Amino acid sequence: MESHNVNNSLNVDMEKDQEKVFDFSKRAQWLRAAVLGANDGLVSTASLMMGVGAVKGDVKTMMLSGFAGLVAGACSMAIGEFVSVYSQYDIEVAQMKRENGGEIEKEKLPSPMQAAAASALAFSLGAIVPLLAAAFVKEYKVRVGVILAAVTLALVMFGWLGAVLGKAPVVKSSARVLIGGWLAMAVTFGLTKLVGSHGM
């Protein structure tokens, strides 16, 4: 009898540990997705501002292009995430109906609206970094330098955070994110400058 109780207790403890691991895993995935979304917002908005600034360097034009990038990117991310998670939702509902005889456990289902809002928010948080950096600097060259510095710092931070959450090598991950961000800005700046210089 005592042995049976001990086994039951061990089974309960193991189930609780598994639930904790599962919860932590889900949370880590959400955080990692948020970091990636913020990184997307940071790189795409900064690249857009740098590209437009290569042709028209006044602060108003750069800020408007950055703001348009933030809104368009956040909407795109939200819609994409909503559609993706809703597809997953439909699949899981169908699977539950097959396995549980029509019974649906709503608490275990993903939330498309929550995922869409989180994705849009993460993108916006990243995108706001170059906007804030450029907002109060009138001199073009100084503004570009401030944007580069702010974006570099944010890229390193996002790379480090992504590496920690993904349990990847921190230095390699941070360097990869940083070089990728610099490359995106350089290519956008260079190509826009090239097209703009030919009067298009």
Side-chain angles (χ1 to χ4, degrees):
M1 186 73 176
E2 286 181 11
S3 174
H4 181 69
N5 289 336
V6 168
N7 287 335
N8 283 342
S9 177
L10 284 170
N11 287 336
V12 169
D13 289 342
M14 283 174 68
E15 283 175 12
K16 284 181 179 177
D17 288 342
Q18 284 175 350
E19 282 177 14
K20 283 179 184 176
V21 170
F22 180 71
D23 286 343
F24 177 76
S25 176
K26 269 182 95 174
R27 215 169 295 161
Q29 284 176 0
W30 269 92
L31 285 169
R32 196 156 181 270
V35 170
L36 291 171
N39 190 66
D40 283 346
L42 174 72
V43 173
S44 60
T45 304
S47 297
L48 183 60
M49 291 174 72
M50 296 289 281
V52 171
V55 179
K56 196 166 174 63
D58 64 283
V59 66
K60 185 178 179 181
T61 303
M62 284 183 77
M63 289 296 293
L64 280 172
S65 66
F67 181 73
L70 185 157
V71 174
C75 289
S76 176
M77 292 285 284
I79 292 165
E81 194 70 13
F82 181 84
V83 171
S84 174
V85 175
Y86 218 109
S87 298
Q88 183 187 342
Y89 177 93
D90 289 339
I91 291 166
E92 290 189 22
V93 166
Q95 189 174 347
M96 280 181 182
K97 283 180 178 178
R98 280 196 305 270
E99 292 175 355
N100 302 336
E103 188 180 334
I104 297 170
E105 298 173 81
K106 289 187 177 180
E107 67 278 359
K108 290 185 178 179
L109 291 169
S111 169
M113 288 299 293
Q114 188 180 3
S119 187
L121 180 62
F123 185 95
S124 301
L125 287 173
I128 209 164
V129 172
L131 281 167
L132 288 176
F136 307 106
V137 184
K138 290 185 179 179
E139 178 62 37
Y140 170 71
K141 288 183 180 178
V142 177
R143 191 185 322 127
V144 169
V146 170
I147 291 172
L148 278 172
V151 169
T152 297
L153 185 64
L155 283 169
V156 170
M157 188 182 76
F158 289 152
W160 172 81
L161 198 52
V164 169
L165 292 171
K167 295 181 180 178
V170 173
V171 176
K172 280 186 181 179
S173 179
S174 299
R176 198 161 47 235
V177 171
L178 181 60
I179 292 166
W182 280 349
L183 189 61
M185 288 188 288
V187 169
T188 308
F189 181 90
L191 287 177
T192 312
K193 187 83 171 174
L194 183 65
V195 172
S197 64
H198 285 79
M200 289 179 71

